[in-house]
């Protein structure tokens, strides 16, 4: 499988210009991949350079070229996973703070679906339950504190939590006040980040790639992953190859499932046709998903809808249906 990313901002999850991350993977025959890429190049002016999705999608001719290329790939094995970056912030706050607090008090929030339900409720209603600016500052302070390069601390985070809590309406205060109970868990998390024991906590690239690999493995079996150059994937190669050696936090006493990876290699999209196609697929999925987040009309995204939805395996995305119909583990 050849994989590439679109809109990677690392742990900077609240960049308003890039609200969605996507990773796409393709399993396509060498000859077909080269032919499709050659056809795209032939349709472009001489000296255009590499045909990246971001460039092609900006012009009507480029968009037409992309649609023609996708038509040529109909029926090929292309899959993608997306991450709603802002939702990932609330999900991670619940995951590393509230879930850990509950676990230390003998309660598994994964087992009954309450972890994902709480993450969705905070994401959907946080700006309604209290002052929206205070809620936004709380999310930004969590991101700043979880990123090793910033100076924000647990003190800053809990000051922002208290400030937000002071604005919440009485009927919602119990829901949001659960964050105030998690100071010890925050101290442990930020200490682990500062020491280097925990890296890339907020980066959606690893969980999205793991989901993509798992889903692709169900289609094609074991495979070699060829990824476009990526610092985060490079430093986590052994983790991805040995995922089944790690404990599953959602199932105490059990291990995570094995990913269908034989090996992980890196290459450059200028040299590998499949990586260029993966760039187009990731860009298309990202553009469509971004139109959903922004709730703004995007005619080209609408043209991509059926194609994108046929490629999507899932990802980190808000879904309020889990509140009334939780995804239970057992």
């Amino acid at each position: 499988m050849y994989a590439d990313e679109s809109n990677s901002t690392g742990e900077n999850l609240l960049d308003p210009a890039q609200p969605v991350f996507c990773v796409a993977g393709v399993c396509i025959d060498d000859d077909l991949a080269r032919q499709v890429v050659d056809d795209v190049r032939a349709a472009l002016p001489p000296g255009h350079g590499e045909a990246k999705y971001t460039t092609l999608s900006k012009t009507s001719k480029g968009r037409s070229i992309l649609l023609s290329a996708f038509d040529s790939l109909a029926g090929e094995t292309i899959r993608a996973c997306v991450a709603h970056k802002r939702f990932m912030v609330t999900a991670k706050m619940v995951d590393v703070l509230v879930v850990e607090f509950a676990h230390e008090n003998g309660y598994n929030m994964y087992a009954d679906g309450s972890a994902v339900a709480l993450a969705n409720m905070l994401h959907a209603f946080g700006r309604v339950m209290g002052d929206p600016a205070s809620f936004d500052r709380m999310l930004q302070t969590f991101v700043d504190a979880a990123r090793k390069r910033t100076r924000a601390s647990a003190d800053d985070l809990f000051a922002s939590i208290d400030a937000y809590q002071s604005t919440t309406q009485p009927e919602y205060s119990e829901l949001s006040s659960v964050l105030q109970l998690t100071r010890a868990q925050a101290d442990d998390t930020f200490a682990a980040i500062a020491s280097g024991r925990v890296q890339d906590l907020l980066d959606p690239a690893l969980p999205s790639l793991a989901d993509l690999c798992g889903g692709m493995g169900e289609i094609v079996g074991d495979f070699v992953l060829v990824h476009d150059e990526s610092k985060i994937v490079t430093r986590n190669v052994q983790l991805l190859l040995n995922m089944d050696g790690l404990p599953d936090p959602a199932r105490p006493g059990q291990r995570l499932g094995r990913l269908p990876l034989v090996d992980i290699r890196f290459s450059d999209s200028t040299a590998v046709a499949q990586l260029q196609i993966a760039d187009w697929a990731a860009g298309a999925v990202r553009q469509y998903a971004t139109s959903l987040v922004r709730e703004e009309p995007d005619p080209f995204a609408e043209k991509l809808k059926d194609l994108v939805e046929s490629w999507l395996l899932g990802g980190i995305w808000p879904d309020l249906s889990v509140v009334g119909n939780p995804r239970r583990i057992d």
Side-chain angles (χ1 to χ4, degrees), residues 113-156:
S114 58
V116 69
L118 178 58
N120 274 278
M121 291 177 74
L122 287 174
H123 172 76
F125 307 124
R127 302 181 90 251
V128 179
M129 295 188 301
D131 175 60
S134 296
F135 183 75
D136 292 346
R137 279 194 295 273
M138 180 180 71
L139 297 189
Q140 186 64 64
T141 306
F142 176 74
V143 170
D144 291 343
R147 297 177 71 194
K148 190 175 180 180
R149 71 185 66 181
T150 69
R151 295 184 178 182
S153 65
D155 287 339
D156 298 321

Side-chain angles (χ1 to χ4, degrees), residues 26-37 39-40 65-79 273-274 276-281 307 310-311:
V26 305
C27 294
I28 299 173
D29 173 79
D30 288 346
D31 291 338
L32 174 60
R34 282 194 292 266
Q35 183 61 57
V36 172
V37 171
D39 289 345
V40 168
I65 291 172
L66 282 168
L67 291 175
S68 177
F70 291 149
D71 284 342
S72 301
L73 295 166
E76 295 299 314
T77 306
I78 301 175
R79 294 295 185 270
Q274 287 95 331
Q276 294 184 52
I277 294 171
D279 168 78
W280 302 340
L307 192 63
S310 72
W311 293 342

Side-chain angles (χ1 to χ4, degrees), residues 90-134:
T90 56
K92 277 293 183 181
M93 288 186 75
V94 171
D95 194 39
V96 303
L97 300 180
V98 183
V99 168
E100 289 301 314
F101 170 80
H103 175 71
E104 291 174 17
N105 286 276
Y107 179 53
N108 184 351
M109 291 182 67
Y110 295 123
D112 65 357
S114 58
V116 69
L118 178 58
N120 274 278
M121 291 177 74
L122 287 174
H123 172 76
F125 307 124
R127 302 181 90 251
V128 179
M129 295 188 301
D131 175 60
S134 296

Side-chain angles (χ1 to χ4, degrees), residues 13 25 32 34 37 47 54 93 127 132 137-138 196 229 241 246 257 268 278 286 289 291 311-312 324 330:
L13 295 179
L32 174 60
R34 282 194 292 266
V37 171
T54 302
M93 288 186 75
R127 302 181 90 251
R137 279 194 295 273
M138 180 180 71
E229 295 292 343
L241 290 174
L246 300 175
D268 191 310
R286 181 264 305 158
S291 73
W311 293 342
L312 272 173
D330 299 314

